[in-house]
Amino acid sequence: MTMKRDDCLKALARQRTGEIVVAVYKAAQEWIQIAPHPLNYTFTGAMGQGSSHGLGLALGRPDKRVVVLDGDGSLLMNLGTLVTIANAAPKNFVHCVLENGTYETNGAVPIPGAGKISFSAFARAAGYPKTYAISSLEEWERELGTILHEPGPILVDLKVEPAGKYAEDFPRLYDLKHREAFGRALRESR
Ligand SMILES: Cc1ncc(C[n+]2csc(CCOP(=O)(O)OP(=O)(O)O)c2C)c(N)n1
Ligand SMILES: [Mg+2]
């Protein structure tokens, strides 16, 4: 069983309060349209670095919760990030992996090990104290209240399939206007 990605992101948007949300690739394309907010930090290009940027934000702003919407292909490209994050142990860090089994942005080429590997097992082996593997919307909606408040770092493996028709807008993911608004919102949210 899997969830439709846009349903999954809409459920997060409904329960979001003041969190910084770092999102990459398809999740980012949908997130900026589903949940526009100055504390969205999105980018593409530096593949695999979403969780690293999120870690920096979490360490720099321990008063804010950081939710990362990572890609499965992206995380595979930087698995060492799991060890770095577990070692730094930021309590305000939630690492979600949108596991669609593909490099969807590049024509949905399957990721290596699709369906055979376990991101939650990788994270536990790296030292994350808490992990979830979620494949139904009901479970995601039920657990979100806990996930957004319990001590991290937490890894949440979200089993998703593409859904929704969101036009790609790569420039908007990291244009200067939005990046400056992010910086301002972060400074003002102390
Ligand atoms: C170092 C590097 N290699 C390859 C690419 C090309 N590339 C851009 S997006 C992407 C796939 C991203 O896959 P995933 O993280 O699973 O996100 P999805 O597209 O499925 O949302 C690839 C391979 C890149 N940007 N950087
Ligand atoms: Mg993917």
Side-chain angles (χ1 to χ4, degrees):
M1 194 163 58
T2 53
M3 297 175 276
K4 295 198 185 327
R5 184 175 49 225
D6 62 344
D7 286 345
C8 199
L9 297 179
K10 283 174 190 164
L12 174 63
R14 281 194 294 275
Q15 297 202 37
R16 180 187 200 178
T17 50
E19 299 86 356
I20 296 167
V21 177
V22 177
V24 299
Y25 292 112
K26 283 289 177 182
Q29 300 284 3
E30 294 190 354
W31 183 252
I32 57 171
Q33 302 189 51
I34 289 170
H37 191 286
L39 288 178
N40 290 341
Y41 180 96
T42 56
F43 63 90
T44 63
M47 195 177 162
Q49 301 301 311
S51 57
S52 307
H53 288 218
L55 174 62
L57 289 163
L59 293 175
R61 287 297 300 267
D63 59 312
K64 303 287 293 176
R65 207 162 175 87
V66 176
V67 178
V68 175
L69 302 176
D70 211 349
D72 49 0
S74 294
L75 180 53
L76 275 187
M77 189 164 274
N78 184 17
L79 274 181
T81 193
L82 294 174
V83 180
T84 307
I85 290 163
N87 186 60
K91 292 209 176 333
N92 54 334
F93 191 83
V94 181
H95 190 175
C96 302
V97 185
L98 281 295
E99 188 185 359
N100 55 3
T102 63
Y103 301 107
E104 193 182 325
T105 302
N106 303 72
V109 181
I111 60 166
K116 292 184 255 175
I117 54 177
S118 163
F119 288 98
S120 50
F122 283 151
R124 276 197 304 281
Y128 275 55
K130 186 91 186 265
T131 64
Y132 295 79
I134 296 182
S135 49
S136 88
L137 194 59
E138 293 69 31
E139 189 185 359
W140 173 230
E141 287 181 314
R142 195 172 58 242
E143 299 288 4
L144 255 172
T146 308
I147 289 168
L148 290 178
H149 296 99
E150 70 187 334
I154 303 163
L155 182 122
V156 188
D157 177 8
L158 298 165
K159 317 270 187 190
V160 297
E161 58 188 278
K165 287 204 171 61
Y166 297 89
E168 287 191 336
D169 187 354
F170 282 97
R172 186 174 151 202
L173 294 183
Y174 42 79
D175 70 9
L176 193 57
K177 190 174 80 174
H178 288 94
R179 195 47 59 87
E180 284 176 349
F182 174 78
R184 260 195 318 277
L186 201 55
R187 283 190 295 278
E188 285 164 7
S189 69
R190 282 195 187 276

